[in-house]
Amino acid sequence: MLNQELVDFLKGLGVCSICQLRYLKARGNEYKDLKESFEKLNVKYEPELAPMEESEDSETICKKVKHGSCPCCLGLFSQNFQSQLIQSIFQTDIHKFECNDIVVAISMPMIVQTRQLAMWYALLDKFGNKIDKERAPDVPLKEAIKLIINPIICKELNKGYDANGIMINIHVSHSSEEDNLTKLKQLHDRAFPTAPNSKRQVVSRGVLDKQYMPKRIKDTLFKEYFTVPPQADDILKLDAIEMTGPTVFVAGRYRKISRELSHTPWVLNGKRVMEDSIEEIIIRTVAPYFCKDTSRVIFMSSGREDVDVRCLGKGRPFVLEIPNSVHTTLPVKEAHRMECEIDKSCKLSVRNLQMVQREELVHIKSGEEQKKKYYRALCKLRDPATAEILKKLDLPEGFQIQQKTPIRVLHRRPLHTRPRMIYSMKAWVHKDNLKVLVIDVVSQAGTYIKELVHGEFGRTTPSVSSLVGQPVDILALDVMAIDLDWPKEVDNSLLE
């Protein structure tokens, strides 16, 4: 089968030049210069009629083009459709997004796939065994859209193409889609019968791609429901265009200076226990700059502390995942404003606020149990401290403990006994009270320090209590440092 024979046949059916190239298996840049591509494939090129005036409304265009529309793409690759598409995109709120890249998703009616199959049968009727019955004879529509329509949209919008850019969701419909779906269901029930009482498979785009081919469905059965070859029909209708901003990530470090602040909203039996949380303070201050709907913002941090535990030093790393953002940058002045606003809560302080890439999120979770964390605990002994007690708690070489899941967190953590490393321990007597110790602990992340101190009825062994041979209560606990050098240090108070 010569390329010219194939093109002559397709042209006789009213197939457009772009779809002719699809059946010639054109790839990459071959769709940019049609004349050059046809000549390269030894096919005579005849330019199509000039597109109609843009001033004509869609209803008028539909009536004029109906008998000349491509039976394969139904006008998807026509100049008229492309012009209408670009014009409609410019009429959206795309200009509010501060982003230099886009990604395009076109939702097509299934009638286009049905017509692809009808043309496949038509080619088999014309050229017989020269056409494969398992591999589609044309370049897939999704790939053709990427090669043809996407570059045009990028050029008109003066934007690059990137999966992390603005998502342009294009919804396309066709006047005959409902009738097409009815026939498809009838065909499917006969072509792929199911056993009695079994769940019938829904005919979807994926099912059409994977199961609908001449090798699996006889041409006589297909032709009972659909015309072969497909005929010209109404052009596709552009229903709607929706814009979704990119997902951005804002990181920083927070210091918790209140002993009455939960990590996330604390709700018990349907009632709030505390009026605020770390997550809520940070989200309501940072997220509105990037998006209107802050309910979908995700807060992540490198571990967490209890409600009554402060987090001091450089603070704990955190990151916000913000979908549908209108901004992809965070000016230093804006970051400083956010940090100052959070400081006003008198419960929390945030520094190093900055944008980060998705790839950097691995720092939050990777090696979570290998990180070192530094704590300072204020503890009370039953009996006054002695030199011997201080010596027992002077453990620069560290030791290993076995720690069962604390009773207080069993409602959200499975019951396990976990080995944890205590890298070092050092104790001092409080200058005003010999029964009070200040203990510095460097431990493996994931260690429950309160239980390390009092032992929780032997559920943590050894514990400070077992080491000194008397009950020890913990009065207060602070996180002094977290061994994670991320995100980088930035001083947003130094305005550019």
Side-chain angles (χ1 to χ4, degrees), residues 362-387:
V362 296
H363 295 295
I364 288 288
K365 294 297 181 183
S366 66
E368 195 171 49
E369 293 187 354
Q370 280 67 49
K371 297 189 189 87
K372 290 182 180 179
K373 298 196 176 180
Y374 300 75
Y375 296 89
R376 177 163 290 172
L378 186 67
C379 306
K380 185 176 182 181
L381 299 169
R382 181 190 60 190
D383 305 318
T386 63

Side-chain angles (χ1 to χ4, degrees), residues 206-362:
V207 170
L208 277 177
D209 282 337
K210 294 178 182 179
Q211 297 187 20
Y212 278 62
M213 60 186 70
K215 187 174 181 180
R216 300 197 65 181
I217 302 176
K218 291 182 179 181
D219 61 341
T220 53
L221 177 59
F222 183 84
K223 290 174 183 177
E224 287 185 34
Y225 297 95
F226 299 100
T227 303
V228 175
Q231 304 297 307
D233 202 339
D234 292 342
I235 61 171
L236 293 169
K237 179 185 176 185
L238 183 59
D239 274 348
I241 298 178
E242 298 170 353
M243 298 292 163
T244 304
T247 296
V248 299
F249 302 89
V250 180
R253 299 180 81 104
Y254 74 77
R255 291 184 295 171
K256 177 173 175 278
I257 51 182
S258 168
R259 295 195 188 278
E260 296 181 347
L261 185 65
S262 60
H263 190 77
T264 54
W266 187 2
V267 179
L268 188 63
N269 297 325
K271 295 183 178 180
R272 288 202 65 139
V273 178
M274 291 193 167
E275 64 179 14
D276 222 338
S277 66
I278 296 171
E279 175 185 293
E280 290 169 298
I281 292 174
I282 294 176
I283 287 179
R284 70 167 175 257
T285 306
V286 177
Y289 174 75
F290 295 93
C291 65
K292 287 185 178 180
D293 181 10
T294 61
S295 64
R296 295 174 57 207
V297 176
I298 298 174
F299 172 76
M300 296 170 278
S301 63
S302 179
R304 60 194 293 163
E305 56 281 313
D306 290 340
V307 170
D308 58 348
V309 176
R310 297 185 301 180
C311 182
L312 307 176
K314 290 184 179 181
R316 188 182 296 277
F318 73 89
V319 64
L320 296 182
E321 180 178 328
I322 307 173
N324 196 20
S325 173
V326 295
H327 294 290
T328 54
T329 59
L330 177 59
V332 173
K333 185 176 181 179
E334 186 62 31
H336 184 240
R337 181 196 66 76
M338 293 173 181
E339 292 175 351
C340 293
E341 190 66 29
I342 291 173
D343 282 351
K344 291 178 182 177
S345 69
C346 297
K347 300 177 180 179
L348 200 66
S349 175
V350 165
R351 293 295 180 268
N352 302 323
L353 209 56
Q354 60 195 276
M355 305 288 292
V356 296
Q357 298 299 313
R358 182 187 293 271
E359 294 74 23
E360 296 184 58
L361 267 60
V362 296

Side-chain angles (χ1 to χ4, degrees), residues 25 27 91 116 132 134 154 196 225 244 259 261 316 338 348 410-411 424 440 457 460 464 474 494:
K25 297 291 187 179
R27 301 285 178 174
Q91 290 173 352
Q116 298 298 104
D132 197 318
E134 290 186 80
C154 288
Y225 297 95
T244 304
R259 295 195 188 278
L261 185 65
R316 188 182 296 277
M338 293 173 181
L348 200 66
L410 274 176
H411 66 284
S424 68
D440 281 352
F457 313 110
T460 294
V464 171
I474 185 164
L494 300 175

Side-chain angles (χ1 to χ4, degrees), residues 124-254:
L124 282 168
D125 289 344
K126 175 66 177 178
F127 299 105
N129 58 13
K130 293 179 182 179
I131 302 296
D132 197 318
K133 288 189 174 184
E134 290 186 80
R135 296 181 62 186
D138 60 329
V139 172
L141 198 63
K142 286 184 180 180
E143 184 177 340
I145 288 173
K146 290 180 182 179
L147 294 172
I148 302 163
I149 295 181
N150 292 2
I152 292 173
I153 296 176
C154 288
K155 181 181 178 181
E156 293 294 330
L157 297 178
N158 193 28
K159 293 185 181 294
Y161 195 89
D162 189 275
N164 296 318
I166 305 167
M167 171 69 79
I168 302 179
N169 297 288
I170 302 168
H171 300 274
V172 180
S173 65
H174 192 266
S175 58
S176 302
E177 177 69 351
E178 188 174 341
D179 180 56
N180 176 73
L181 293 176
T182 300
K183 292 178 179 178
L184 265 178
K185 185 181 183 306
Q186 294 170 350
L187 171 62
H188 192 79
D189 290 343
R190 291 181 60 187
F192 303 99
T194 55
N197 301 323
S198 63
K199 189 175 180 180
R200 287 192 176 276
Q201 186 182 45
V202 177
V203 186
S204 63
R205 293 179 178 84
V207 170
L208 277 177
D209 282 337
K210 294 178 182 179
Q211 297 187 20
Y212 278 62
M213 60 186 70
K215 187 174 181 180
R216 300 197 65 181
I217 302 176
K218 291 182 179 181
D219 61 341
T220 53
L221 177 59
F222 183 84
K223 290 174 183 177
E224 287 185 34
Y225 297 95
F226 299 100
T227 303
V228 175
Q231 304 297 307
D233 202 339
D234 292 342
I235 61 171
L236 293 169
K237 179 185 176 185
L238 183 59
D239 274 348
I241 298 178
E242 298 170 353
M243 298 292 163
T244 304
T247 296
V248 299
F249 302 89
V250 180
R253 299 180 81 104
Y254 74 77

Side-chain angles (χ1 to χ4, degrees), residues 51-62 64 79-80 83-84 87:
M52 297 175 189
E53 295 296 325
E54 291 184 6
S55 59
E56 294 179 316
D57 59 40
S58 57
E59 185 178 351
T60 303
I61 291 175
C62 181
K64 289 187 177 182
Q79 292 287 339
N80 283 318
S83 298
Q84 184 187 1
Q87 186 179 4

